[in-house]
Amino acid sequence: MARSRRTKATIADVAEAAGVSRGTVSRYLNGGHWVSESSTEAVRTAIEKTGYVASSTARQLRTGRSGTVAFLVDEEPAAFFGDPTFESLVASVSDALAARDMSMVVLLAGNAEQARRAVEFLSSGAVAGVVTASIHPTHGTLEKILDQEIPVVNCGYPRTMAERVSYVMGDEAMGGRLMAEHLRERGARRMGVIAGPADSPGGTLRLDAFRRAAGGLLPDPNVRFGDYTREAGQRFAAELLEADPGIDAIFAASDVMAAGVLDTATERDAAVPGQLLVGGFDDSLVATSVEPALTTIRQPFDRISTELVSVLLREISDGYRSAVTVPVELVTREST
């Protein structure tokens, strides 16, 4: 017997007819107030054209998830759980959403397969929007999310995507400048920097501002690019001090890497701050759990998280794209 052709239209059929993503169709079916006027009209016309009839069970399931936001981190699990800044951000964003009676799911997309599954999940319309953090260009994850017309806000400056995506960032340039000025005031005359990855704000904006404020006190060879791990701080501090014994101050672009610098200083019997000044970034729990406690740049994660949620909800409601920069501050402790 010949198999009969499927005649019942699906969300994919509606999306194709309307020229929009499946996520947009799902949001239309969940109330329509998260879809632009033009997309609303296109979906409505496509539904009439295809004869689509929504499953009441499927609609109920989707509606039950409509108060949920995804927090997507472009890192492997080891990096995610090893970085205290992610813990602070996830907790603060979750609290900010809870204050609006919304929930959050966390997605890790550090490799190609994780990224594929994350984009597939987000494209299903299961969440209202997504907060992204630590996004790298390797898998094109952010571009794929935007291409699916999913409301998104990035935590941090998104570099090449700044014209397409909303973002909230701590003032990276302000932080780099404040640390360089502080180290100069403390008597530093030859500095080293362990920046973040070259494709991250910690490897660009923080470094550039620090270099400008440090002037000739930061020779070009005295810069390394780490991965925000303690091991990177240990390894690159050893490299810097071996290559240039005259270094009397090291700025690391995260507290975790700065803790690694302290480890290396201890191994080399270099007194901190007597012989070597050490500065970090973030003011995470690590900053006060090491000896000596770290001078660092405080990122106000509570405020950043509140802004992330506000910007995302505005984008969800009316498609308005925003860019918010939050001031940071220098916190002086025993390491300088």
Side-chain angles (χ1 to χ4, degrees):
M1 179 184 296
R3 182 175 300 173
S4 61
R5 296 181 60 190
R6 174 178 56 84
T7 58
K8 184 178 180 180
T10 66
I11 284 180
D13 296 327
V14 176
E16 181 178 0
V20 300
S21 70
R22 285 175 293 176
T24 297
V25 176
S26 292
R27 288 190 291 275
Y28 171 86
L29 296 172
N30 288 335
H33 55 287
W34 294 340
V35 184
S36 69
E37 185 175 341
S38 59
S39 293
T40 294
E41 183 58 32
V43 173
R44 184 183 297 116
T45 300
I47 287 174
E48 293 177 356
K49 178 181 177 181
T50 61
Y52 173 78
V53 177
S55 162
S56 60
T57 302
R59 184 190 295 119
Q60 182 178 3
L61 289 171
R62 286 194 300 271
T63 303
R65 300 289 289 277
S66 64
T68 301
V69 165
F71 191 112
L72 185 145
V73 181
D74 196 1
E75 298 287 353
E76 296 277 9
F80 175 78
F81 290 108
D83 191 332
T85 60
F86 288 134
E87 179 182 355
S88 297
L89 273 173
V90 168
S92 296
V93 170
S94 179
D95 288 344
L97 286 167
R100 298 172 180 261
D101 198 26
M102 299 183 73
S103 303
M104 185 180 77
V105 295
V106 177
L107 304 175
L108 301 184
N111 61 47
E113 179 59 20
Q114 290 174 345
R116 183 194 65 77
R117 289 199 304 265
V119 172
E120 186 175 90
F121 172 76
L122 296 172
S123 300
S124 71
V127 297
V130 56
V131 176
T132 54
S134 192
I135 293 295
H136 304 292
T138 308
H139 308 299
T141 306
L142 187 54
E143 292 91 331
K144 292 173 184 176
I145 293 172
L146 290 169
D147 289 344
Q148 291 294 321
E149 300 180 11
I150 301 166
V152 59
V153 57
N154 189 65
C155 180
Y157 184 69
R159 298 186 69 212
T160 59
M161 302 293 292
E163 296 302 315
R164 291 189 62 191
V165 63
S166 294
Y167 62 89
V168 178
M169 60 179 283
D171 196 329
E172 307 280 0
M174 180 183 181
R177 174 180 58 79
L178 287 173
M179 183 58 74
E181 292 173 349
H182 173 72
L183 294 176
R184 294 185 70 159
E185 291 170 359
R186 285 295 191 268
R189 291 295 174 262
R190 195 163 183 83
M191 304 184 194
V193 171
I194 305 175
D199 63 354
S200 74
T204 52
L205 301 180
R206 293 176 199 175
L207 172 62
D208 293 345
F210 185 93
R211 180 182 275 128
R212 287 193 297 270
L217 303 185
L218 175 64
D220 288 341
N222 287 5
V223 176
R224 299 291 188 276
F225 294 91
D227 59 1
Y228 296 128
T229 63
R230 191 161 183 157
E231 291 74 20
Q234 295 167 347
R235 181 173 71 257
F236 290 127
E239 280 188 17
L240 288 169
L241 294 171
E242 189 68 31
D244 187 349
I247 289 176
D248 56 11
I250 293 179
F251 165 52
S254 76
D255 294 336
V256 175
M257 290 198 297
V261 176
L262 294 180
D263 294 338
T264 295
T266 298
E267 292 175 1
R268 299 173 67 92
D269 293 323
V272 177
Q275 296 171 260
L276 182 68
L277 305 172
V278 179
F281 205 102
D282 291 328
D283 196 27
S284 64
L285 293 175
V286 172
T288 54
S289 66
V290 294
E291 181 64 35
L294 285 169
T295 291
T296 187
I297 299 298
R298 175 176 293 158
Q299 296 208 72
F301 290 119
D302 287 347
R303 180 177 173 188
I304 288 172
S305 298
T306 299
E307 293 287 356
L308 283 167
V309 171
S310 295
V311 168
L312 180 61
L313 294 184
R314 186 171 184 184
E315 177 143 342
I316 288 171
S317 65
D318 61 16
Y320 186 84
R321 191 168 64 243
S322 303
V324 178
T325 300
V326 178
V328 298
E329 63 177 305
L330 176 76
V331 180
T332 304
R333 297 193 180 98
E334 289 82 3
S335 69
T336 59

